[in-house]
Amino acid sequence: MPEAPAAAPRLLPTVSIVEETMRQALRAVAVALACTALLTTTLLAERLWSSAQLEHAADRHAQANRLAGEIRLTEQELLQAAQSAALTGEASWIERYDRLTATLTQKVEHASLLVPMNVAQRYRDKTVDAANEIAQMRQSALNALQSGALDAARSLFDGERYTSRTRLIREATEELTAVSLAATESRVRELRTRSYAVAAAALTITLGGGFFLWRRLSSGLKHSRGSLLDAEVRVQRLAASDMLTGLDNRAALHDAMQSRLGRAERLNQELAVLMVDLDRFKPVNDRNGHMVGDLVLKEVARRLGRCLRQSDLRARYGGDEFVIVIDEADGMRTAPAAAQRIIETLSEPMFFGDLTVSIGASVGIARYPRDARSDDELIRKADSALYRAKKNGHGEVCLYDPKLDEALAERAALEAALREGIAGGQLIPFYQPIVSLSRRNVVSLELLCRWKHPERGLLTPDKFIALAEDSGLIGPLTLSLLNQACQDMLSFPPSWRLSFNVAPQQIQDENLVPQLLAVLKDNHVPPHRLDVELTETALVNDTARARAVILALKRAGMTVTLDDFGTGYSNLSYLSELTFDKIKIDRSFVQKLKTDQQSSTKIIEAIIGLSRSLGADNVAEGVETEEQADMLQKLGCRNGQGYLFGRPVRAEELQQRIALAADLVLPLDSQMMVDVLL
Ligand code: C2E
Ligand code: CA
Ligand code: CA
């Protein structure tokens, strides 16, 4: 069983690669936008908060400043009130002094709120004794004043003790206000620093995030680029390979060959190009359909892989043509041996379910450098070797031979000349009489083609009919001949019919019958004057088609003769399906009448018996002697054709002889007529 064919390479998801890249880019942009929004919000919130804090700190700073000024002022006023009270002894100063003392205490309390707790505590600790002492001294001074002892009161205020205590308190208060100011200033500084730190953090996060995103995006893009490059490589590979078999296609083969040839030249190596053509592939394809044909081609590709090296080039070159390039550097492998292996492998039967398919292969080989040095030339020469391999039969290997090329070139030149010859009227009809053996009168003329070649003279059909058939020129050739023959027929007696050869290939031509009829009609020749000769080859290949053509010819009024009977096929089953008006005994049997009388007599008798049982007339060709004519007549043969009655001649020659017969006042359809023609 052939292995399941390799899965065809998946089509490239280029679209999804692009989509993925776009998705990544969009995701990156979205993340960047989200981060920016978050950062902006954070910065804004921080800004709002810190400016509120700054405002608050500035407020406290202003408060501290103001308090410091007020404390200094209150102290001076207090000092002044004490001194004035001591100088004047007036109670109003004393009251003022009391009020100012309370105010000062209040302000100091207030100021201590603006400093850290420990500073306030330290202030309190430092000043509590002095304050108490001053309060006592002040009480004593007041008592002295009230009792009129002004000097005692004054001396208390002027005293060293009072002065040092008030200084201590003043200094502590100054320190407190200074600390209070410093505290608020440092708070402001702290807030500013914090603002800078937040801004720096935001910047760092932005840069870091940006860098991270950029890295992610660039690695994503790098990945996409890789995928796209992969995709491109795969697209190139697909473009270079044959869709069905996965082998290289023509273009890829030529590219690869050029580089192989370059290397072979550098390393002084030899290469061989094998052109492989499948045998019997067309009938397999026609009979089983293209699906099976495709499976066969895939299987061929797989088997080629099996019997070749990985490094050998393998390409599908055309429908069922493959090209293999192997290097013969190791001397162990020769191209003919590889070709033989390929043929053997491909000739093994293939199984597709219930279906068994047998094909084969022929191989043509051209070698570098001996046969050619360029890829085109090597392939052309391998192809010309293949042409000969195919001509030799199935399963052959042929090496390129320069003589082949000459033959091919000659053939190509001949084909071109034939094409021109047909158009230029160089293909002309010759006529050979077919005679009734009993009455010896002419019943028909067989139209036999001759080519009046401008350089090579008069060519017989064996030089060009096969070529015309192979190159598709047989159609135009036939119509041109029939057209000329129809004009000639105007000068022939109306009882003479025209026997006209139709090549096997022409049976496949849908237009054959309508075209023949059109020519007859154009020349006013009634179809019943035409007898179409078909060979067995035309019938056995496609009996159904042959039956349709024969029926169409008969319906149009023509008769049909089976030509060269007995030479081709042993299987006569087609005779039961097809009806002929006449059977032509091949000249090989007639000619053997002399040498191998017994067996040829039996065959001729059998053919005549067969024609009778089919209700058909008969004619023997190649009648050269009276003896043969006599024997044939005795065997029951009704008509004869051959050099005895006349060689193929041009219409003018026939016309001259007819005129001669008329001059002799001979009845045209008589023994004498044949004598005249002879
Ligand atoms: P064919 O149809 O069997 O034609 C009879 C051939 O036998 C002719 O050869 C003819 O010259 C030859 N012949 C006739 N009497 C004798 C004889 O007594 N002895 C010998 N030895 N040969 C004799 P020719 O003209 O060379 O034609 C060869 C073949 O070419 C024909 O064989 C026919 O198959 C083919 N052919 C000729 N003209 C045409 C044509 O216009 N169209 C097609 N398709 N084929 C043609
Ligand atoms: Ca014939
Ligand atoms: Ca014949």
Side-chain angles (χ1 to χ4, degrees):
M1 274 294 286
E3 281 169 14
R10 203 160 55 85
L11 265 183
L12 298 160
T14 318
V15 174
S16 59
I17 294 169
V18 172
E19 274 172 359
E20 177 58 27
T21 314
M22 279 175 66
R23 251 203 306 277
Q24 277 179 11
L26 285 176
R27 211 181 302 141
V29 170
V31 170
L33 282 176
C35 285
T36 314
L38 196 68
L39 268 171
T40 316
T41 320
T42 315
L43 279 173
L44 266 176
E46 202 282 332
R47 200 69 234 142
L48 280 174
W49 181 82
S50 70
S51 69
Q53 291 290 311
L54 262 175
E55 214 171 281
H56 182 63
D59 213 30
R60 282 168 71 109
H61 187 252
Q63 236 179 60
N65 250 335
R66 192 171 29 100
L67 269 176
E70 281 173 8
I71 285 171
R72 261 194 303 276
L73 192 70
T74 312
E75 269 179 343
Q76 272 174 12
E77 280 176 351
L78 195 67
L79 191 65
Q80 198 190 0
Q83 283 170 351
S84 300
L87 278 176
T88 60
E90 281 175 17
S92 63
W93 283 112
I94 296 168
E95 279 163 21
R96 182 169 164 78
Y97 179 89
D98 278 346
R99 265 198 325 273
L100 285 170
T101 308
T103 306
L104 185 66
T105 312
Q106 204 186 349
K107 290 205 189 291
V108 168
E109 276 298 310
H110 193 176
S112 66
L113 286 177
L114 296 176
V115 296
M117 296 261 278
N118 58 337
V119 177
Q121 190 56 47
R122 204 166 61 236
Y123 171 80
R124 258 181 240 115
D125 293 349
K126 232 184 198 171
T127 55
V128 67
D129 292 345
N132 285 341
E133 224 177 306
I134 285 175
Q136 271 176 19
M137 281 197 276
R138 195 194 55 189
Q139 196 55 51
S140 308
L142 281 179
N143 291 342
L145 281 176
Q146 272 162 3
S147 60
L150 285 175
D151 289 341
R154 204 177 300 141
S155 69
L156 259 176
F157 283 128
D158 288 342
E160 172 59 26
R161 187 88 191 138
Y162 183 83
T163 315
S164 71
R165 292 298 107 177
T166 49
R167 194 188 309 128
L168 187 143
I169 287 179
R170 194 171 57 243
E171 280 170 4
T173 307
E174 272 170 6
E175 192 193 321
L176 184 70
T177 51
V179 168
S180 166
L181 268 175
T184 52
E185 271 166 13
S186 96
R187 176 72 184 141
V188 167
R189 262 198 312 279
E190 186 192 309
L191 282 171
R192 289 226 168 95
T193 316
R194 201 191 141 102
S195 253
Y196 290 138
V198 168
L203 191 68
T204 315
I205 290 173
T206 311
L207 286 175
F211 180 70
F212 173 74
L213 278 178
W214 178 76
R215 281 294 299 269
R216 283 245 4 212
L217 189 62
S218 80
S219 93
L221 286 177
K222 213 179 276 173
H223 176 77
S224 301
R225 187 170 170 268
S227 306
L228 273 174
L229 285 177
D230 277 358
E232 199 178 306
V233 167
R234 280 160 64 189
V235 164
Q236 275 171 357
R237 201 179 308 137
L238 270 185
S241 60
D242 169 57
M243 291 296 263
L244 182 67
T245 59
L247 300 180
D248 283 353
N249 60 21
R250 260 177 197 233
L253 172 76
H254 281 279
D255 282 354
M257 272 184 84
Q258 277 164 11
S259 75
R260 291 271 167 125
L261 287 170
R263 199 185 60 188
E265 189 172 356
R266 278 196 308 281
L267 305 178
N268 211 10
Q269 281 177 345
E270 291 185 3
L271 290 182
V273 177
L274 283 65
M275 179 77 95
V276 181
D277 187 278
L278 304 184
D279 296 332
R280 296 180 295 277
F281 176 72
K282 196 177 175 302
V284 167
N285 210 21
D286 291 349
R287 208 170 302 134
N288 305 297
H290 291 288
M291 291 267 279
V292 172
D294 286 356
L295 288 176
V296 170
L297 292 172
K298 282 186 188 170
E299 175 61 8
V300 167
R302 204 184 64 80
R303 289 189 183 186
L304 285 177
R306 211 170 61 192
C307 61
L308 291 165
R309 288 183 179 180
Q310 194 63 37
S311 59
D312 296 333
L313 289 182
R314 272 158 281 160
R316 179 160 170 231
Y317 205 69
D320 62 344
E321 273 185 347
F322 297 82
V323 169
I324 316 287
V325 180
I326 64 174
D327 72 63
E328 298 186 289
D330 50 20
M332 295 291 288
R333 287 194 320 158
T334 58
Q340 208 57 54
R341 209 165 49 239
I342 289 172
I343 291 173
E344 276 160 26
T345 313
L346 296 185
S347 303
E348 285 165 21
M350 297 176 182
F351 305 99
F352 305 104
D354 295 338
L355 186 71
T356 306
V357 172
S358 284
I359 54 159
S362 306
V363 183
I365 303 173
R367 282 154 302 169
Y368 168 90
R370 92 180 70 165
D371 296 330
R373 304 187 74 93
S374 78
D375 52 331
D376 284 336
E377 273 288 278
L378 280 164
I379 286 182
R380 197 183 63 71
K381 290 186 167 167
D383 194 33
S384 107
L386 173 68
Y387 178 78
R388 204 180 54 171
K390 286 232 128 184
K391 262 201 142 172
N392 289 354
H394 290 313
E396 290 277 330
V397 179
C398 260
L399 287 167
Y400 172 75
D401 176 349
K403 281 191 216 120
L404 277 178
D405 252 12
E406 286 163 25
L408 275 182
E410 204 174 296
R411 192 188 131 92
L414 198 66
E415 187 184 318
L418 181 61
R419 197 180 297 275
E420 256 176 51
I422 295 170
Q426 293 171 14
L427 280 297
I428 50 171
F430 270 53
Y431 302 95
Q432 185 178 33
I434 295 171
V435 172
S436 152
L437 286 178
S438 57
R439 298 180 58 210
R440 295 293 173 100
N441 62 331
V442 177
V443 292
S444 183
L445 295 176
E446 180 171 8
L447 189 161
L448 294 163
C449 182
R450 298 290 180 266
W451 182 2
K452 239 172 99 182
H453 194 281
E455 287 135 32
R456 295 166 61 183
L458 203 62
L459 300 181
T460 46
D462 55 308
K463 303 281 189 311
F464 61 87
I465 283 290
L467 176 68
E469 288 177 357
D470 289 352
S471 57
L473 289 172
I474 191 73
L477 185 147
T478 303
L479 294 180
S480 156
L481 282 177
L482 183 62
N483 199 33
Q484 297 175 61
C486 283
Q487 287 160 27
D488 292 340
M489 280 174 82
L490 297 176
S491 59
F492 300 149
S495 60
W496 294 6
R497 302 182 70 222
L498 182 75
S499 294
F500 182 73
N501 292 291
V502 165
Q505 287 89 334
Q506 292 179 279
I507 291 289
Q508 302 300 329
D509 184 356
E510 299 276 335
N511 297 322
L512 175 74
V513 181
Q515 280 176 338
L516 294 181
L517 287 173
V519 175
L520 293 176
K521 195 172 170 212
D522 283 354
N523 291 286
H524 311 290
V525 174
H528 69 79
R529 285 191 73 186
L530 203 69
D531 177 50
V532 174
E533 296 196 356
L534 293 174
T535 59
E536 280 177 303
T537 328
L539 316 171
V540 290
N541 284 347
D542 190 349
T543 312
R545 178 83 201 128
R547 185 171 44 215
V549 172
I550 291 171
L551 270 176
L553 291 169
K554 289 190 165 198
R555 232 177 258 137
M558 298 176 237
T559 55
V560 181
T561 293
L562 177 55
D563 201 357
D564 298 346
F565 186 74
T567 52
Y569 299 86
S570 51
N571 186 346
L572 300 180
S573 59
Y574 66 88
L575 282 177
S576 62
E577 291 182 53
L578 310 171
T579 48
F580 296 98
D581 299 286
K582 202 189 285 172
I583 290 181
K584 214 175 207 189
I585 304 164
D586 192 69
R587 68 170 173 270
S588 56
F589 304 118
V590 178
Q591 273 155 12
K592 273 191 216 141
L593 272 176
K594 218 189 268 173
T595 52
D596 193 359
Q597 197 178 8
Q598 223 178 5
S599 71
S600 50
T601 307
K602 276 196 181 129
I603 294 172
I604 292 168
E605 254 181 337
I607 298 175
I608 291 168
L610 186 72
S611 71
R612 280 203 191 117
S613 69
L614 293 173
D617 201 357
N618 55 55
V619 52
E621 59 177 19
V623 186
E624 295 181 355
T625 62
E626 274 300 343
E627 209 184 342
Q628 287 168 339
D630 273 355
M631 286 176 84
L632 284 165
Q633 202 180 354
K634 278 188 193 122
L635 290 172
C637 187
R638 289 165 46 83
N639 304 290
Q641 174 184 5
Y643 296 165
L644 174 67
F645 310 114
R647 288 177 180 264
V649 290
R650 297 224 47 184
E652 296 84 54
E653 202 168 322
L654 270 180
Q655 281 150 5
Q656 280 171 13
R657 295 185 189 190
I658 293 166
L660 184 62
D663 283 350
L664 294 171
V665 203
L666 286 170
L668 277 176
D669 291 348
S670 72
Q671 164 76 51
M672 291 306 288
M673 175 66 211
V674 174
D675 289 343
V676 169
L677 288 175
L678 278 168

